[in-house]
Amino acid sequence: MAFKALGELLDETLTLPVKDKTYTVPPPSAATGLRVQAIMQAAAVAADGGAVDEAVLKDAAERDMYRDVLGTAHAEMVADNVPWPTLKHCAVTAMVWIVQNKEAAERYWNAGGDPSRLAPNRKARRSSSAAAKSTQSRGSTSTTNTRPATGHGGKKRKPRK
């Protein structure tokens, strides 16, 4: 079996359209990817009320995370005077890409970073799931029981000898 080069199999860049220009974010280094994973995990734990790993967050504060996750696109954006909220949105989108995948990054991008814009899909899934749970099957509404009553809470008695 011949293996293909990994670069042939994976699209290792992220493209972000900002106004009339498209920025290409290169893949992060292994160290950046691992650091982003650790920071996102620490943030999720903190959001759930768990203990925060101070070392991980201190490491994030000491480094320019946005520059690291955007790679060469960061310098381009700064040179193009991209507004801070736009640069921040691009960087967080890149973080979602690093931690999850391109589909998740695209959903985050298209929602403008607003979690409530992502909610309708979850809400629709939840409501359809709740509707499915609340809809009884035809058999569950019937009062006819085809199993004989045992009088013992459904447990079989051991035969007497």
Side-chain angles (χ1 to χ4, degrees), residues 121-136:
N121 291 333
R122 284 195 305 258
K123 186 177 180 183
R125 283 195 303 270
R126 285 184 186 143
S127 67
S128 67
S129 171
K133 288 178 184 175
S134 68
T135 304
Q136 295 180 334

Side-chain angles (χ1 to χ4, degrees), residues 57-117:
L57 296 180
K58 183 177 180 191
D59 182 48
E62 291 176 359
R63 300 176 191 221
D64 188 353
M65 181 63 65
Y66 290 175
R67 184 189 68 230
D68 292 346
V69 299
L70 290 172
T72 54
H74 182 273
E76 282 184 76
M77 290 179 185
V78 171
D80 293 343
N81 284 325
V82 169
W84 168 247
T86 302
L87 188 136
K88 180 179 176 181
H89 184 61
C90 290
V92 175
T93 300
M95 292 173 77
V96 171
W97 169 56
I98 292 167
V99 173
Q100 294 181 13
N101 56 40
K102 278 190 178 181
E103 292 77 22
E106 184 176 1
R107 285 190 303 272
Y108 179 83
W109 179 266
N110 290 334
D114 182 354
S116 68
R117 289 175 145 177

Side-chain angles (χ1 to χ4, degrees), residues 135-146:
T135 304
Q136 295 180 334
S137 68
R138 181 180 162 122
S140 68
T141 59
S142 171
T143 57
T144 307
N145 188 348
T146 58

